[in-house]
């Protein structure tokens, strides 16, 4: 299952960050505070306006933060929700898919 399949799905109603948390919940098992906070990280509300899916990905794999940031920007053109949505017209589903792929790439789960 792709993480983006739960994005704004009628049953799940996840934002971009929650999609990542839901799929990769084992990586967040010891971080209940982040799971709860992820509800507020959609629509550009992650710290520094970062894409919520990207923010969740770097919190899932903090040891790979720089690689994830670099590859996400390379694939999507930006790191902030405002730039991605307003300036580059990158759909949220695409951002979630890229974050999902990067976690897959760098995780050992």
């Amino acid at each position: 299952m792709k993480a983006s399949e739960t994005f704004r799905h009628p049953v799940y109603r996840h934002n971009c960050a929650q999609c990542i948390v839901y799929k990769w919940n084992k990586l967040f098992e010891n971080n209940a505070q982040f799971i709860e906070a992820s509800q507020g990280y959609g629509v550009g509300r992650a710290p520094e306006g970062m894409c919520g899916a990207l923010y969740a990905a770097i919190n899932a794999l903090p040891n790979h933060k720089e690689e994830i940031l670099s590859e996400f920007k390379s694939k999507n053109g930006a790191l902030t929700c405002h730039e991605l949505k307003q300036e580059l017209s990158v759909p949220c589903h695409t951002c979630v898919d890229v974050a999902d792929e990067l976690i897959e790439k760098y995780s050992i789960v």
Side-chain angles (χ1 to χ4, degrees), residues 36-102:
E36 187 174 316
S38 69
Q39 182 177 2
Y41 291 150
V43 196
R45 293 181 301 205
E48 299 175 20
M50 186 179 293
C51 166
L54 172 60
Y55 188 67
I58 62 174
N59 276 277
L61 298 171
N63 293 335
H64 295 284
K65 178 180 178 179
E66 295 308 316
E67 298 99 313
I68 291 170
L69 288 171
S70 176
E71 288 188 47
F72 187 92
K73 185 171 185 177
S74 175
K75 291 178 185 233
N76 291 323
L79 302 176
T80 67
C81 185
H82 177 78
E83 290 175 300
L84 290 161
K85 300 296 292 169
Q86 301 301 317
E87 296 173 22
L88 301 171
S89 299
V90 178
C92 294
H93 278 85
T94 300
C95 294
V96 173
D97 286 340
V98 170
D100 190 17
E101 291 166 10
L102 292 172

